[in-house]
PDB file of all heavy atoms in Angstrom:
ATOM      1  N   GLY A  29      -4.660   6.452  15.691  1.00  0.00           N
ATOM      2  CA  GLY A  29      -3.898   5.222  15.861  1.00  0.00           C
ATOM      3  C   GLY A  29      -3.878   4.314  14.644  1.00  0.00           C
ATOM      4  O   GLY A  29      -3.190   3.301  14.643  1.00  0.00           O
ATOM      5  N   GLU A  30      -4.629   4.692  13.598  1.00  0.00           N
ATOM      6  CA  GLU A  30      -4.651   3.846  12.400  1.00  0.00           C
ATOM      7  C   GLU A  30      -3.380   4.012  11.569  1.00  0.00           C
ATOM      8  O   GLU A  30      -2.775   5.081  11.540  1.00  0.00           O
ATOM      9  CB  GLU A  30      -5.840   4.222  11.500  1.00  0.00           C
ATOM     10  CG  GLU A  30      -7.113   3.513  11.851  1.00  0.00           C
ATOM     11  CD  GLU A  30      -8.150   3.641  10.726  1.00  0.00           C
ATOM     12  OE1 GLU A  30      -8.538   4.764  10.384  1.00  0.00           O
ATOM     13  OE2 GLU A  30      -8.573   2.593  10.214  1.00  0.00           O
ATOM     14  N   PHE A  31      -3.022   2.953  10.858  1.00  0.00           N
ATOM     15  CA  PHE A  31      -1.976   3.005   9.843  1.00  0.00           C
ATOM     16  C   PHE A  31      -2.702   2.900   8.503  1.00  0.00           C
ATOM     17  O   PHE A  31      -3.234   1.862   8.162  1.00  0.00           O
ATOM     18  CB  PHE A  31      -0.985   1.858  10.013  1.00  0.00           C
ATOM     19  CG  PHE A  31       0.326   2.078   9.307  1.00  0.00           C
ATOM     20  CD1 PHE A  31       1.525   1.952   9.998  1.00  0.00           C
ATOM     21  CD2 PHE A  31       0.370   2.403   7.960  1.00  0.00           C
ATOM     22  CE1 PHE A  31       2.752   2.152   9.358  1.00  0.00           C
ATOM     23  CE2 PHE A  31       1.582   2.616   7.309  1.00  0.00           C
ATOM     24  CZ  PHE A  31       2.772   2.488   8.009  1.00  0.00           C
ATOM     25  N   ILE A  32      -2.720   4.028   7.786  1.00  0.00           N
ATOM     26  CA  ILE A  32      -3.447   4.105   6.512  1.00  0.00           C
ATOM     27  C   ILE A  32      -2.455   4.165   5.367  1.00  0.00           C
ATOM     28  O   ILE A  32      -1.460   4.889   5.444  1.00  0.00           O
ATOM     29  CB  ILE A  32      -4.317   5.391   6.476  1.00  0.00           C
ATOM     30  CG1 ILE A  32      -5.379   5.363   7.581  1.00  0.00           C
ATOM     31  CG2 ILE A  32      -4.934   5.618   5.102  1.00  0.00           C
ATOM     32  CD1 ILE A  32      -6.521   4.412   7.340  1.00  0.00           C
ATOM     33  N   CYS A  33      -2.689   3.412   4.310  1.00  0.00           N
ATOM     34  CA  CYS A  33      -1.881   3.557   3.099  1.00  0.00           C
ATOM     35  C   CYS A  33      -2.730   4.089   1.966  1.00  0.00           C
ATOM     36  O   CYS A  33      -3.832   3.599   1.739  1.00  0.00           O
ATOM     37  CB  CYS A  33      -1.262   2.236   2.673  1.00  0.00           C
ATOM     38  SG  CYS A  33       0.165   1.765   3.650  1.00  0.00           S
ATOM     39  N   PHE A  34      -2.194   5.098   1.263  1.00  0.00           N
ATOM     40  CA  PHE A  34      -2.780   5.526  -0.010  1.00  0.00           C
ATOM     41  C   PHE A  34      -2.047   4.728  -1.081  1.00  0.00           C
ATOM     42  O   PHE A  34      -0.828   4.868  -1.236  1.00  0.00           O
ATOM     43  CB  PHE A  34      -2.544   7.020  -0.270  1.00  0.00           C
ATOM     44  CG  PHE A  34      -3.275   7.947   0.664  1.00  0.00           C
ATOM     45  CD1 PHE A  34      -2.963   9.307   0.666  1.00  0.00           C
ATOM     46  CD2 PHE A  34      -4.275   7.496   1.516  1.00  0.00           C
ATOM     47  CE1 PHE A  34      -3.622  10.193   1.502  1.00  0.00           C
ATOM     48  CE2 PHE A  34      -4.940   8.377   2.365  1.00  0.00           C
ATOM     49  CZ  PHE A  34      -4.614   9.725   2.358  1.00  0.00           C
ATOM     50  N   LEU A  35      -2.781   3.893  -1.779  1.00  0.00           N
ATOM     51  CA  LEU A  35      -2.166   3.012  -2.766  1.00  0.00           C
ATOM     52  C   LEU A  35      -2.762   3.273  -4.132  1.00  0.00           C
ATOM     53  O   LEU A  35      -3.987   3.391  -4.271  1.00  0.00           O
ATOM     54  CB  LEU A  35      -2.416   1.548  -2.351  1.00  0.00           C
ATOM     55  CG  LEU A  35      -1.976   0.455  -3.321  1.00  0.00           C
ATOM     56  CD1 LEU A  35      -0.461   0.375  -3.412  1.00  0.00           C
ATOM     57  CD2 LEU A  35      -2.539  -0.903  -2.890  1.00  0.00           C
ATOM     58  N   GLY A  36      -1.900   3.311  -5.140  1.00  0.00           N
ATOM     59  CA  GLY A  36      -2.413   3.502  -6.494  1.00  0.00           C
ATOM     60  C   GLY A  36      -1.262   3.719  -7.444  1.00  0.00           C
ATOM     61  O   GLY A  36      -0.134   3.970  -7.007  1.00  0.00           O
ATOM     62  N   PRO A  37      -1.540   3.649  -8.746  1.00  0.00           N
ATOM     63  CA  PRO A  37      -0.467   3.820  -9.727  1.00  0.00           C
ATOM     64  C   PRO A  37       0.084   5.239  -9.714  1.00  0.00           C
ATOM     65  O   PRO A  37      -0.567   6.155  -9.209  1.00  0.00           O
ATOM     66  CB  PRO A  37      -1.145   3.502 -11.059  1.00  0.00           C
ATOM     67  CG  PRO A  37      -2.603   3.698 -10.823  1.00  0.00           C
ATOM     68  CD  PRO A  37      -2.846   3.415  -9.373  1.00  0.00           C
TER      69      PRO A  37
END
Side-chain angles (χ1 to χ4, degrees):
E30 273 195 300
F31 198 127
I32 297 287
C33 283
F34 292 169
L35 174 69

